[in-house]
């Protein structure tokens, strides 16, 4: 047992999740990170995190993770794993199989994690759950295109908002945040933010979450975004 706050980052093998392992370790947190295989898990160890295996689309895998952490205390559960899906969709050629896969990772995955880890979060001091969403999931800021990814993040936003109300009785704070447009495999080299720039700001925002932030949608720098 430790007095350090504990964060579990689901989807920590690369990109934003992996960099956040280092950011939180640097800030004195105990960091647990999930990867889908041991090879990518090695990166989490190098960054200062403890490795757990989990594929968020596999209920058995998420359930195993929940059982292995059943007696832990998780101050901040960060559901970060996500995929973009097909980038070439236009109205008239929608790939419904791919759309379902994206929803399985981006929406059902986070919900499975919450259901498996609710007790370790509820017994922690901070009792916080955060979801990596995207400004592309904002209905207010919709600029069209990317139907599959956008709609998955909109659905995630609604799930998070629901949880912020449904879990209030347990004293749990739930928030979503847009990580910025970041130079990862998903964001591409033309993105506006480097991984260290984005994740330094995200770690400051997430480590400062308090109950007054319940049900909010944040930008990476802690400013509010419209739903
Ligand atoms: N980059 C951006 O500009 C940007 C903007 C807005 C929102 N976001 C969001 O930020 C989050 C992280 O994105 P990123 O840019 O860091 O993307 P990334 O570099 O592509 O990394 C995605 C992460 O999700 C994990 N993942 C994918 N499917 C998974 C599954 N079924 N089970 C468990 N883990 C899985 C990946 O693990 P593997 O290594 O095993 O594939 C990897 O760790 C995502 O939710 C994304 O939608 C990113």
């Amino acid at each position: 047992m430790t007095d350090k706050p504990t964060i579990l980052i689901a989807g920590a093998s690369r990109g934003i999740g992996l960099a956040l392992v280092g950011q939180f370790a640097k800030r004195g947190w105990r960091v647990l990170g999930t990867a889908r295989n041991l090879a990518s898990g090695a990166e989490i160890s190098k960054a200062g995190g403890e490795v757990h295996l989990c594929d968020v689309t596999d209920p058995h895998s998420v359930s195993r993770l929940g059982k292995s952490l059943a007696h832990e205390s998780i101050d901040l559960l960060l559901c970060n794993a996500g995929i973009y899906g097909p980038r070439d969709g236009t109205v008239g050629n929608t790939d419904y199989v791919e759309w379902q896969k994206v929803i399985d990772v981006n929406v059902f995955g986070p919900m499975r994690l919450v259901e498996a880890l609710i007790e370790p979060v509820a017994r922690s001091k901070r009792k916080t759950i955060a979801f990596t969403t995207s400004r592309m999931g904002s209905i207010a800021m919709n600029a069209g295109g990317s139907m599959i990814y956008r709609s998955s993040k909109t659905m995630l936003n609604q799930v998070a908002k629901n949880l912020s109300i449904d879990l209030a009785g347990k004293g749990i704070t739930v928030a979503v945040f847009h990580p910025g447009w970041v130079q990862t495999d998903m964001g591409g080299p033309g993105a506006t933010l480097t991984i260290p720039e984005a994740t330094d700001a995200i770690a400051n925002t997430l480590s400062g979450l308090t109950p007054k932030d319940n049900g909010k949608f944040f930008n990476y720098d802690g400013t509010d975004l419209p739903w």
Side-chain angles (χ1 to χ4, degrees):
M1 279 297 175
T2 167
D3 285 338
K4 291 178 172 183
T6 298
I7 181 171
L8 172 68
I9 305 174
S13 58
R14 57 196 166 92
I16 292 165
L18 177 60
L20 284 173
V21 172
Q23 293 285 359
F24 275 90
K26 198 168 76 180
R27 285 163 173 77
W29 288 54
R30 175 180 174 225
V31 185
L32 317 178
T34 78
R36 285 194 283 181
N37 57 63
L38 286 172
S40 51
E43 297 302 314
I44 297 172
S45 303
K46 272 191 236 160
E50 299 168 30
V51 185
H52 292 264
L53 293 180
C54 182
D55 183 327
V56 301
T57 63
D58 177 355
H60 301 293
S61 171
V62 179
S63 164
R64 271 196 302 276
L65 177 71
K67 283 185 185 139
S68 73
L69 298 174
H71 303 293
E72 297 278 357
S73 188
I74 298 174
D75 292 275
L76 174 52
L77 168 62
L78 172 54
C79 303
N80 174 73
I83 58 172
Y84 199 92
R87 291 178 186 262
D88 56 354
T90 53
V91 178
N93 75 349
T94 299
D95 188 331
Y96 289 92
V97 173
E98 288 302 317
W99 200 345
Q100 274 178 325
K101 282 186 199 161
V102 172
I103 287 176
D104 198 15
V105 178
N106 293 2
V107 184
F108 297 161
M111 188 64 192
R112 287 184 186 107
L113 288 165
V114 169
E115 291 192 298
L117 294 164
I118 192 80
E119 291 311 323
V121 172
R123 80 165 63 91
S124 74
K125 277 193 187 148
R126 297 189 184 215
K127 305 187 200 326
T128 315
I129 299 173
F131 299 93
T132 315
T133 184
S134 169
R135 56 182 283 156
M136 290 178 72
S138 165
I139 290 177
M141 295 195 289
N142 195 340
S146 301
M147 175 86 76
I148 288 180
Y149 182 71
R150 266 186 206 287
S151 63
S152 74
K153 292 297 191 180
T154 306
M155 196 171 167
L156 174 62
N157 288 357
Q158 184 70 289
V159 165
K161 189 74 183 185
N162 234 88
L163 288 170
S164 75
I165 298 161
D166 296 346
L167 299 180
K170 287 182 180 284
I172 294 176
T173 298
V174 180
V176 295
F177 72 98
H178 167 61
W181 185 21
V182 192
Q183 292 163 12
T184 62
D185 294 339
M186 184 186 290
T192 49
L193 295 171
T194 65
I195 293 178
E197 282 167 349
T199 55
D200 181 55
I202 293 165
N204 288 339
T205 299
L206 295 186
S207 57
L209 289 176
T210 68
K212 74 174 171 27
D213 299 316
N214 192 34
K216 290 204 173 165
F217 182 5
F218 289 110
N219 204 359
Y220 67 97
D221 60 4
T223 54
D224 287 333
L225 286 177
W227 293 99

